Amino acid sequence: MLTERGKPVMKSVVIQEPGQVAVFDRLPVPEPKENEALLQILYCGICGADLASYLGNQPFTTYPRIPGHEFSARIVSIPQNAGGLKEGDLVTCNPYFNCGDCYACRRGYVNCCVDNQTMGVQRDGAFQEYVVMPVSRILRGDGLNARQLALVEPFCIGHHGISRCKLKNTDKVLVVGAGPIGIFAMLSAKAKGAEVYMADVLDGRLETALQMGASGVVNSGKQDLGSWTRKITDGNGFDVCVEACGLPQTFLSCIDQAAQAANIVLIGNGKRETKFLHSIILKKELNIFGSRNALTSDFEQVIEILRSGEVDVEKLVSCEYPIDQAAEAFDALAHNDGSIMKVLLKIIQE
């Protein structure tokens, strides 16, 4: 921990304005208040929301902003707590802050609080050497390493989406979009015993999906998706379709490939209007579920899945950058041709 005039300081990654990333090394280390812990950040994943902030496409971001809500950390100091968390523990955190007072919060739907503040978007995030967090938001690592723990939060996004519908182990599932969130949704559905297929237009991502355990894949840019679906499902359509791109055409594809009375889960954050004849939803009697953020229970369940050793999420890490090269990391993602899956920033150089 560096010092300046006797006060501890740290490195922080700051998006000063769209397209401009700087690393400062003289920002003050935060001081924990009551019921808060001081955490030393180890790894951070660069999320699509962070990239959107960098590109200026994130409507909820104000500048300057410290990004980051996918992270692992080591506890530096923590008050006595019911969870038995202690100094030196490796942890991750639930980064979605809720107001506790709105109608959603009062009913327990804290993940869709009307005043949600996600770290790195509406409030400063974890791309810095130290942060303070409420003890109630800290989850023990339970034997996972720091890289795995940095991938828990994006895994939770896919996991929460799958939890929105009553998935059965006899279901055939189609995930449209084989990016990291789509693959995490696939893994979550597989953990429940479902047979899961993935569609994308990038062969490299589909190959990764197969390596991660998808039952089958299709390049929907080269092959007719409807014909492929009929072959895979014996003409019935998929029991569950998961939209993980946020595009109008992929949402419509999910409607088309869904069986009668199927479930459609929307995880991709769309930014464009979708026009369609809604009578098809009535005709098929489709169930459509939105999904936002995740709950603490999702974090606990994902950590348990990773502890089982059946899923190697580190395969999704395409590259790792030290904190001083944060600008290069964002630039690489901004020019991603689809070959990059997850990028990690190593915050503390040990």
Side-chain angles (χ1 to χ4, degrees):
M1 187 182 299
L2 302 173
T3 61
E4 185 178 79
R5 297 180 181 177
K7 295 182 179 181
V9 295
M10 63 179 178
K11 290 183 179 181
S12 300
V13 176
V14 180
I15 301 177
Q16 297 176 290
E17 59 182 67
Q20 292 191 15
V21 173
V23 179
F24 295 98
D25 61 4
R26 287 293 183 269
L27 292 183
V29 172
E31 297 182 4
K33 300 176 183 176
E34 186 177 3
N35 297 321
E36 290 183 337
L38 178 64
L39 306 181
Q40 182 185 47
I41 303 298
L42 303 177
Y43 283 96
C44 286
I46 301 181
C47 172
D50 300 320
L51 181 60
S53 295
Y54 171 71
L55 296 174
N57 297 329
Q58 173 56 262
F60 304 116
T61 298
T62 55
Y63 303 92
R65 175 65 66 215
I66 297 173
H69 55 262
E70 308 173 357
F71 63 94
S72 60
R74 179 178 289 108
I75 297 176
V76 176
S77 65
I78 190 169
Q80 187 173 2
N81 58 89
L85 294 163
K86 61 185 185 302
E87 293 179 11
D89 285 350
L90 289 183
V91 297
T92 189
C93 298
N94 181 335
Y96 325 115
F97 285 74
N98 61 291
C99 72
D101 297 322
C102 71
Y103 188 45
C105 287
R106 295 199 307 271
R107 291 183 295 149
Y109 302 115
V110 296
N111 59 302
C112 49
C113 167
V114 298
D115 190 31
N116 170 78
Q117 293 194 9
T118 297
M119 292 175 64
V121 182
Q122 292 93 347
R123 59 167 62 198
D124 281 340
F127 283 21
Q128 48 191 329
E129 290 183 305
Y130 296 89
V131 299
V132 295
M133 289 291 291
V135 174
S136 61
R137 293 190 167 275
I138 302 174
L139 296 107
R140 65 172 67 255
D142 285 336
L144 302 183
N145 64 45
R147 283 163 60 95
Q148 290 172 311
L149 285 169
L151 296 170
V152 166
E153 190 277 341
F155 199 149
C156 286
I157 299 298
H159 187 271
H160 182 73
I162 293 299
S163 73
R164 293 284 287 128
C165 66
K166 295 180 180 179
L167 186 72
K168 302 185 293 295
N169 59 12
T170 55
D171 283 343
K172 285 189 176 181
V173 179
L174 173 65
V175 179
V176 180
I181 299 301
I183 287 180
F184 285 132
M186 178 271 289
L187 293 173
S188 300
K190 278 181 59 69
K192 292 180 179 293
E195 187 177 318
V196 192
Y197 297 81
M198 301 199 74
D200 204 293
V201 296
L202 297 174
D203 288 329
R205 291 199 164 188
L206 293 173
E207 180 60 33
T208 299
L210 285 173
Q211 293 173 4
M212 296 296 291
S215 300
V217 298
V218 60
N219 187 319
S220 54
K222 299 178 180 178
Q223 190 172 347
D224 180 71
L225 189 56
S227 299
W228 177 83
T229 294
R230 289 189 290 274
K231 180 180 179 181
I232 293 294
T233 66
D234 297 323
N236 298 320
F238 284 95
D239 303 295
V240 178
C241 291
V242 180
E243 199 291 317
C245 296
L247 299 173
Q249 60 267 35
T250 48
F251 172 49
L252 297 178
S253 290
C254 285
I255 292 176
D256 291 339
Q257 310 318 317
Q260 309 294 114
N263 294 322
I264 294 177
V265 181
L266 304 178
I267 301 178
N269 187 9
K271 299 178 179 65
R272 292 159 50 190
E273 290 185 359
T274 303
K275 295 182 179 180
F276 63 99
L277 188 62
H278 75 270
S279 61
I280 187 63
I281 296 176
L282 281 65
K283 181 180 178 180
K284 285 189 173 183
E285 198 174 66
L286 298 175
N287 306 300
I288 299 180
F289 299 88
S291 180
R292 185 181 185 188
N293 295 337
L295 298 167
T296 296
S297 58
D298 294 306
F299 282 79
E300 294 168 344
Q301 291 162 19
V302 163
I303 288 172
E304 193 59 34
I305 291 172
L306 294 179
R307 283 189 65 209
S308 72
E310 296 179 4
V311 177
D312 183 7
V313 290
E314 291 185 77
K315 287 182 179 179
L316 290 178
V317 178
S318 302
C319 43
E320 177 183 312
Y321 291 82
I323 186 172
D324 291 326
Q325 295 178 18
E328 289 90 332
F330 274 99
D331 184 67
L333 276 174
H335 296 91
N336 185 13
D337 61 1
S339 60
I340 299 175
M341 294 295 281
K342 286 302 297 180
V343 172
L344 293 183
L345 279 186
K346 189 172 184 181
I347 304 300
I348 296 293
Q349 304 303 307
E350 298 181 300

